[in-house]
Amino acid sequence: MAPLEILEFPDPRLRTVAKPVQNVDGRIVEMADRMLDAMYEAPGIGLAATQVNFHQRLIVLDVSEKQDQPLILINPQIITGEGELETKEGCLSVPGFYEPVNRYEQIQLEAINRDGDPFTLDAEGLLAVCIQHEMDHLEGKLFVDYLSNTKRQLIRKKLQKLQKQQA
Ligand code: QAP
Ligand code: CO
């Protein structure tokens, strides 16, 4: 199967709001597995379906040191958020740029797993930050949206220049 292509800022398709997954069927599980492959290949610690132009509520993550703890979250919903944590975030859709963003430090989450079963998850630190970052993608939101207009425009111009060179 061809590897998934990751959309890059300012591609307007990254602004699409994803729809809930209605049924965890083979198509969803296969997409999750291909997203994990693309994430490990990059390498990255999180990837949302929106970034591979698939507009359903699905994210994959692995913040473990050995990159051997894949997590698939379908229709994730944050139940509670507490505390604040500033992390220098990056994004596979904004290659080469890292900027500090504030998020909840701890979250409680509800989601569906690859077997179609609902579960709850308590996450903190980098995992909590990464889940919030990936859930933003499902709303068409990027971490650069939290930066100043000036910084965001600068990143947009630099990336557009690189993308034109690559085309
Ligand atoms: C989101 O991002 C995240 O610029 C996941 O050239 C990142 O996996 C949340 C990556 C950091 C919290 C903290 C970025 C790979 C990977 C790049 C990623 C790059 C190559 C980003
Ligand atoms: Co991202």
Side-chain angles (χ1 to χ4, degrees):
M1 182 105 37
L4 293 169
E5 196 187 319
I6 297 174
L7 304 178
E8 289 186 7
F9 178 69
D11 192 312
R13 293 172 291 182
L14 287 168
R15 299 309 187 177
T16 311
V17 178
K19 294 193 166 70
V21 171
Q22 296 291 351
N23 206 355
V24 181
D25 55 18
R27 200 167 132 264
I28 296 296
V29 173
E30 183 184 292
M31 182 54 79
D33 286 338
R34 292 177 73 198
M35 285 169 58
L36 281 168
D37 285 346
M39 180 189 80
Y40 287 128
E41 176 74 21
I45 59 172
L47 186 67
T50 310
Q51 293 175 274
V52 296
N53 203 30
F54 183 74
H55 301 291
Q56 297 194 32
R57 305 187 81 83
L58 164 66
I59 67 180
V60 299
L61 313 109
D62 190 341
V63 300
S64 71
E65 214 157 292
K66 293 185 184 163
Q67 294 255 278
D68 60 355
Q69 287 170 50
L71 196 55
I72 296 172
L73 302 180
I74 298 163
N75 297 345
Q77 277 189 298
I78 291 177
I79 310 301
T80 59
E82 276 178 63
E84 204 179 64
L85 181 62
E86 188 189 76
T87 308
K88 246 191 170 184
E89 293 188 15
C91 180
L92 287 169
S93 296
V94 192
F97 295 89
Y98 301 85
E99 294 291 341
V101 176
N102 281 306
R103 307 277 189 184
Y104 291 126
E105 205 274 323
Q106 295 188 336
I107 56 172
Q108 192 172 50
L109 188 92
E110 244 174 49
I112 299 172
N113 67 18
R114 61 179 290 145
D115 298 322
D117 299 321
F119 67 103
T120 62
L121 179 71
D122 290 303
E124 59 172 41
L126 183 59
L127 177 60
V129 166
C130 198
I131 291 171
Q132 291 167 78
H133 173 116
E134 300 312 331
M135 285 181 68
D136 268 358
H137 279 298
L138 303 180
E139 300 300 327
K141 196 162 183 177
L142 297 167
F143 85 92
V144 295
D145 298 345
Y146 297 103
L147 310 178
S148 68
N149 286 328
T150 319
K151 233 175 204 172
R152 186 171 51 260
Q153 304 311 347
L154 187 76
I155 292 173
R156 181 174 58 76
K157 284 197 177 126
K158 286 183 177 169
L159 277 176
Q160 276 179 320
K161 190 176 168 188
L162 280 169
Q163 288 158 14
K164 274 184 189 127
Q165 286 170 357
Q166 283 160 11

